[in-house]
Amino acid sequence: MKEITLSIFGFGNVGRATARVLLEKTGFFRKKYGLSFKVLSVADTSGLVWLPEGIDLREALLVKENFGRLSAWTNDYEVYNMKPGEAIEEVNPDIVVDVTNDANAFPWHLRAIRNGSALVTSNKPPLAFHYSELVGEAERRGIPYLFEATVMAGTPVIALLRENLLGDRVESIEAVLNATTTFILSRMEEGKTFEEALREAQSLGMAERDPSGDVLGIDAGYKATILHCVAFHPMTFGEAEVRGIDGITPELVREATSHGKTIRLVATVERGKVKVEPREIPLESPLAVSSNENVALIKTDLLGELLVKGAGAGPRETASGVVSDIVKAGLVLREA
């Protein structure tokens, strides 16, 4: 049995879902993979809780859910006010897990790799802006840097492109990658205004208080940029052409419906080109998804068309991708 130590940064919905999966599947991981995971530290915006003997994740979940912050956890635990980079070096885990929304996480991702820690993340901006530096540094050091959950939550499109289609030349990817915009557009097809549909998405927790990342296409642009980096070659989000759904009116939705079509925010990824824009698509198209589904239509020279479809949002769905990467990294470290 190989014990793998973890530090978890971010204890919001995805961080807590990840912790629950680690608890629920302890026996499964031991039996199937010969791996035991010990969480040394957990951090949210209020502070970092660290215990070399290992954190009690059940207690961590109770504290967060009852008090809303880990800094309220004082019984037997000390709360530290350390920046992630400092914490990584102090705690020195086998795997750093970043499930934050920290847009400035690139420096501490790089620090983790250089410190010898594997890194698993659902955080998109570091890769959308610094893919080449991060993946290159990890490859040079032979350290796992895994990011399945950055695109399509737990639906394994990154692994498919990175590990499976190794003999294929990818020609193009068309994808719907943002569930919030799909929800809003679907509600507009039912007669709601953009503002009414957005408010409903916010009330259900599907859209943030500041929804600009979704409705302006930024989130989909980040994801499409990462797909380009994996399928073709590194590029940055600044090179992508991105337009969101903020200009879509009920009239445009009705017009599309009258033609037997639907409007979706579609990402087109080709060699050297990433474009995200709302497009009219036929109702029978595989891109005409609903609810929280994401879809990617991948075209290659050998396989032809490959459709990857699944949940693209939700804490547990995202945790599926995060935990899968934790296990992958653990298996690499077991053999090191």
Side-chain angles (χ1 to χ4, degrees):
M1 185 68 59
K2 174 72 172 179
E3 184 177 78
I4 303 292
T5 58
L6 310 176
S7 285
I8 299 175
F9 293 88
F11 215 55
N13 290 332
V14 174
R16 296 199 304 278
T18 298
R20 290 189 192 98
V21 174
L22 290 172
L23 281 169
E24 292 166 9
K25 292 183 176 279
T26 297
F28 174 75
F29 296 141
R30 287 173 179 269
K31 184 175 181 180
K32 186 167 185 178
Y33 303 112
L35 294 175
S36 171
F37 295 107
K38 180 167 75 172
V39 177
L40 300 180
S41 69
V42 181
D44 65 6
T45 54
S46 74
L48 176 136
V49 179
W50 169 29
L51 195 67
E53 295 78 29
I55 295 289
D56 183 334
L57 284 180
R58 288 185 178 83
E59 194 173 346
L61 288 165
L62 283 171
V63 169
K64 182 70 175 183
E65 286 159 8
N66 287 329
F67 298 100
R69 66 188 195 282
L70 287 171
S71 61
W73 195 7
T74 56
N75 185 32
D76 297 328
Y77 293 95
E78 192 164 346
V79 180
Y80 298 87
N81 184 22
M82 283 191 279
K83 293 180 179 178
E86 298 169 331
I88 287 163
E89 292 195 357
E90 286 289 332
V91 179
N92 195 29
D94 296 319
I95 304 174
V96 171
V97 181
D98 173 16
V99 285
T100 70
N101 294 315
D102 183 2
N104 300 307
F106 164 64
W108 58 269
H109 279 209
L110 198 59
R111 194 166 174 179
I113 296 166
R114 289 174 175 170
N115 194 56
S117 295
L119 201 140
V120 168
T121 188
S122 61
N123 189 6
K124 295 174 282 293
L127 284 149
F129 289 98
H130 302 282
Y131 181 96
S132 183
E133 299 99 309
L134 289 167
V135 173
E137 186 74 16
E139 288 177 349
R140 282 190 293 274
R141 294 174 180 267
I143 290 172
Y145 185 92
L146 303 173
F147 47 92
E148 186 65 65
T150 58
V151 183
M152 294 180 69
T155 303
V157 67
I158 297 293
L160 180 68
L161 293 167
R162 216 179 178 196
E163 301 168 18
N164 299 104
L165 297 176
L166 302 184
D168 285 65
R169 183 182 67 248
V170 177
E171 295 173 346
S172 67
I173 303 170
E174 285 189 303
V176 176
L177 300 171
N178 183 273
T180 301
T181 54
T182 298
F183 177 87
I184 291 170
L185 292 166
S186 298
R187 287 293 189 265
M188 290 178 72
E189 289 170 350
E190 296 170 5
K192 291 183 180 291
T193 65
F194 177 88
E195 291 76 15
E196 289 169 341
L198 173 57
R199 282 197 296 271
E200 184 179 356
Q202 289 171 320
S203 70
L204 293 171
M206 293 188 66
E208 301 292 335
R209 183 175 299 176
D210 176 5
S212 56
D214 292 317
V215 301
L216 297 181
I218 296 168
D219 175 75
Y222 286 159
K223 294 171 180 176
T225 300
I226 294 168
L227 287 180
H228 184 282
C229 292
V230 176
F232 299 110
H233 57 76
M235 68 179 295
T236 68
F237 174 72
E239 300 169 75
E241 184 181 339
V242 176
R243 183 163 61 92
I245 67 164
D246 50 316
I248 301 298
T249 64
E251 290 74 25
L252 289 171
V253 171
R254 284 195 295 269
E255 184 178 351
T257 303
S258 71
H259 296 148
K261 295 184 177 181
T262 187
I263 298 175
R264 291 292 180 265
L265 187 66
V266 179
T268 303
V269 182
E270 298 170 338
R271 183 173 296 275
K273 178 183 176 183
V274 169
K275 187 173 186 178
V276 176
E277 62 180 348
R279 272 174 38 193
E280 284 191 12
I281 53 177
L283 292 174
E284 63 272 16
S285 167
L287 298 177
V289 290
S290 59
S291 186
N292 73 333
E293 289 179 327
N294 279 185
V295 62
L297 182 63
I298 303 168
K299 295 181 182 179
T300 80
D301 62 335
L302 300 180
L303 197 58
E305 290 190 351
L306 174 65
L307 187 69
V308 184
K309 183 178 179 181
R316 197 164 178 84
E317 293 83 352
T318 305
S320 170
V322 173
V323 173
S324 178
D325 278 349
I326 290 171
V327 173
K328 279 185 187 178
L331 291 171
V332 172
L333 296 173
R334 187 185 68 182
E335 301 305 319

